Amino acid sequence: RQEKQQVKQARADKKAKKEARKASGKPSRPQNAYWLWLSENREALTKEAGSAKGPVVGKLAGEKWKAMSAAQKKPFEAKAAELKAAYQKALEEWKSSGGGDGDEDEDGEDENEGEEDA
């Protein structure tokens, strides 16, 4: 009985944390190139896989994505880069307007990624 109560409390804590994150106004992270491609091709992949179950479609999609040439991936990677740049700008605006107030990055990413060589 106590275990059920702990599980219930953990769910409530998780839900409260999620709602607080939404209420903070922090911009959500953009989709990467793979997810952009998957969202465009999910219907065809579902038909090809013969199932709408996530793991089945995901496995087929992963195999197809890996098999694609760089030229085929390029439009999705360009769109992903564009979305990431917009996200970085929105995140900076959110931080400069008092958002976050010194909180650590939840996504664990280094903000200056790739800028050390410049």
Side-chain angles (χ1 to χ4, degrees), residues 5-54:
Q5 195 174 16
Q6 288 174 343
V7 169
K8 195 173 187 178
Q9 182 63 40
R11 272 197 203 124
D13 291 345
K14 187 175 181 181
K15 186 175 182 180
K17 186 176 180 182
K18 187 175 181 180
E19 287 173 359
R21 196 176 325 137
K22 280 186 178 180
S24 75
K26 182 177 180 182
S28 59
R29 291 184 64 188
Q31 292 182 327
N32 63 23
Y34 168 75
W35 286 104
L36 291 169
W37 172 80
L38 182 62
S39 62
E40 277 190 21
N41 295 288
R42 184 176 295 277
E43 194 173 315
L45 289 165
T46 302
K47 285 180 184 174
E48 189 175 332
S51 172
K53 293 182 179 176

Side-chain angles (χ1 to χ4, degrees), residues 98-115:
D101 292 332
D103 288 349
E104 289 185 33
D105 266 355
E106 289 179 16
D107 57 18
E109 239 181 47
D110 183 12
E111 289 185 10
N112 298 327
E113 187 177 314
E115 293 180 11

Side-chain angles (χ1 to χ4, degrees), residues 46-66:
T46 302
K47 285 180 184 174
E48 189 175 332
S51 172
K53 293 182 179 176
V56 176
V57 174
K59 185 168 184 163
L60 178 66
E63 291 169 359
K64 285 193 169 282
W65 178 255
K66 287 178 185 173

